[in-house]
Amino acid sequence: MDIEQMYRIFLTLAKDKNFSRVAEKLHISQPAVSQHIKNLEKLYNVPLFIRSKNVLLTPAGETLVTYAEKILSLYDQSFLATQEQKTSNNPIKVGTSLTIGTYFLPRIISQCKKNMVDNVIHVKVGKTKEVIQKLLNDEIDVALIVEEIQMKLLIAEPFAEDEIVLIISPDHSWAKNHELGIKELLEANFIIMETGSHKLAEDTLRRLGIEFTPSNSMEIGDTEALKSSVENGLGVGIVFYSAVQNEVQKGTLKVLRIDGHKMFQKFYWVTKPNLYSNKNVDMLKEIIFSKNIHVASIEKN
């Protein structure tokens, strides 16, 4: 029997006075809400609610509200107090999408070593869906991804942005251009990571009447291989600018933009709602959201 959960459900029902609303708010089934309330009434051996057209507290229920609030407050305080006793060097488990893990996270870890010398950061890199599933399964503390997640169970906060650009070989016939218009885009052979990896670029091209098909695009599952393919003149790549800034500076790749369409993609810090603050994760968040990290990671040509 989960006493803490019973009290939380009881207080939520006392406030909302609606079983289905409580179930939706707490992400559990309505029968589960009813069963927890029955268990609590059995524990105290008194009815706590009048179940009629409207759900109302009984006098015993009204009395229990005050005590339940105190019990949960003490529970939360005791949990926080025990968390303070944890050693400061507990590993921080971070999951990231490929782009952030390869080109953005190293700067973050470098900054962390200066400010969190006793902490170890464990990084798991994967596709967005894989990283989010690890977060839901409590295998990681936080996910850093390049697309917004619409899930009630998760909190997504933008912490930076990067520009999605087109890249070509400096020997390409379009190398003197700074932008590509619809005529060039219709002629282009695109090289992409995988369908969906740069959704903003796909949406922009779709509005211009261009869809990725086997005849005009090639998928390569690795950014370095994509860059190498473009350098060898195989087509027009679509990447985040942070992934190619070194090659652009060296002159081995040329950046182009779509005429009239700059594409800036937000990066997201994603966590599960948690009543209890994790000091190490909070420190990492402060570093990631700092302006120093932003400036170091984004260079807008």
Side-chain angles (χ1 to χ4, degrees):
M1 184 181 295
D2 190 334
I3 297 294
E4 182 244 348
Q5 187 179 24
M6 281 200 303
Y7 282 128
R8 293 198 188 280
I9 291 172
F10 166 73
L11 288 176
T12 306
L13 184 58
K15 179 182 178 182
D16 289 356
K17 298 179 175 58
N18 185 289
F19 279 87
S20 59
R21 195 179 304 137
V22 170
E24 182 179 352
K25 181 179 288 187
L26 300 180
H27 307 293
I28 58 177
S29 66
Q30 187 171 331
V33 173
S34 299
Q35 188 59 52
H36 278 293
I37 296 301
K38 287 179 182 178
N39 290 342
L40 197 58
E41 290 177 325
K42 184 177 179 180
L43 179 66
Y44 285 100
N45 197 29
V46 291
L48 299 172
F49 292 95
I50 299 171
R51 296 162 176 81
S52 59
K53 195 170 185 179
N54 297 315
V55 178
L56 302 173
L57 284 164
T58 64
E62 291 177 354
T63 299
L64 184 60
V65 167
T66 300
Y67 287 98
E69 289 173 342
K70 291 179 179 178
I71 289 168
L72 286 179
S73 176
L74 286 171
Y75 175 86
D76 292 343
Q77 290 176 39
S78 69
F79 193 93
L80 290 172
T82 55
Q83 296 306 295
E84 289 292 330
Q85 302 304 313
K86 287 185 175 182
T87 58
S88 62
N89 60 350
N90 284 332
I92 303 170
K93 294 169 288 185
V94 179
T96 82
S97 57
L98 185 61
T99 297
I100 295 178
T102 305
Y103 303 103
F104 193 85
L105 196 61
R107 299 188 184 102
I108 295 172
I109 294 176
S110 175
Q111 190 72 19
C112 287
K113 285 185 176 180
K114 299 175 185 176
N115 295 274
M116 303 168 64
V117 292
D118 294 328
N119 291 92
V120 176
I121 299 177
H122 292 171
V123 179
K124 296 183 178 180
V125 179
K127 295 181 179 179
T128 296
K129 287 183 180 179
E130 297 169 348
V131 171
I132 290 301
Q133 192 58 54
K134 288 182 184 298
L135 181 61
L136 291 171
N137 294 341
D138 294 318
E139 297 175 40
I140 55 176
D141 299 310
V142 59
L144 305 178
I145 59 174
V146 297
E147 59 186 84
E148 188 172 8
I149 294 296
Q150 302 291 342
M151 293 183 68
K152 289 183 179 180
L153 294 176
L154 300 176
I155 299 172
E157 304 171 75
F159 66 88
E161 65 178 16
D162 200 354
E163 185 177 4
I164 300 175
V165 295
L166 309 179
I167 55 171
I168 58 174
S169 163
D171 298 325
H172 197 287
S173 60
W174 297 335
K176 291 183 179 180
N177 296 0
H178 296 290
E179 296 178 328
L180 293 184
I182 186 67
K183 179 178 180 295
E184 291 87 359
L185 292 169
L186 287 169
E187 297 173 1
N189 292 311
F190 294 100
I191 305 176
I192 59 177
M193 285 286 290
E194 60 179 339
T195 302
S197 61
H198 295 104
K199 188 174 183 299
L200 179 58
E202 291 181 39
D203 290 344
T204 300
L205 289 168
R206 191 175 294 115
R207 287 196 297 271
L208 296 172
I210 299 168
E211 298 270 1
F212 292 143
T213 67
S215 62
N216 73 353
S217 65
M218 173 174 64
E219 290 188 13
I220 296 181
D222 177 81
T223 306
E224 294 303 312
L226 185 153
K227 291 191 289 187
S228 178
S229 298
V230 173
E231 286 175 344
N232 284 282
L234 297 184
V236 178
I238 299 178
V239 294
F240 284 107
Y241 179 69
S242 60
V244 295
Q245 54 187 347
N246 289 336
E247 288 79 4
V248 171
Q249 290 170 3
K250 293 175 184 175
T252 58
L253 285 173
K254 164 78 175 179
V255 163
L256 299 173
R257 294 178 174 87
I258 298 174
D259 186 17
H261 298 274
K262 284 196 174 183
M263 302 175 289
F264 290 99
Q265 174 69 55
K266 286 181 173 19
F267 291 172
Y268 291 89
W269 165 281
V270 186
T271 54
K272 294 175 71 175
N274 199 326
L275 290 172
Y276 316 108
S277 177
N278 183 314
K279 289 170 64 176
N280 294 335
V281 174
D282 287 345
M283 289 175 66
L284 176 63
K285 182 178 182 180
E286 184 176 341
I287 290 170
I288 288 178
F289 278 73
S290 71
K291 291 182 180 178
N292 289 337
I293 292 295
H294 287 202
V295 172
S297 63
I298 304 169
E299 294 181 19
K300 297 175 183 175
N301 246 18

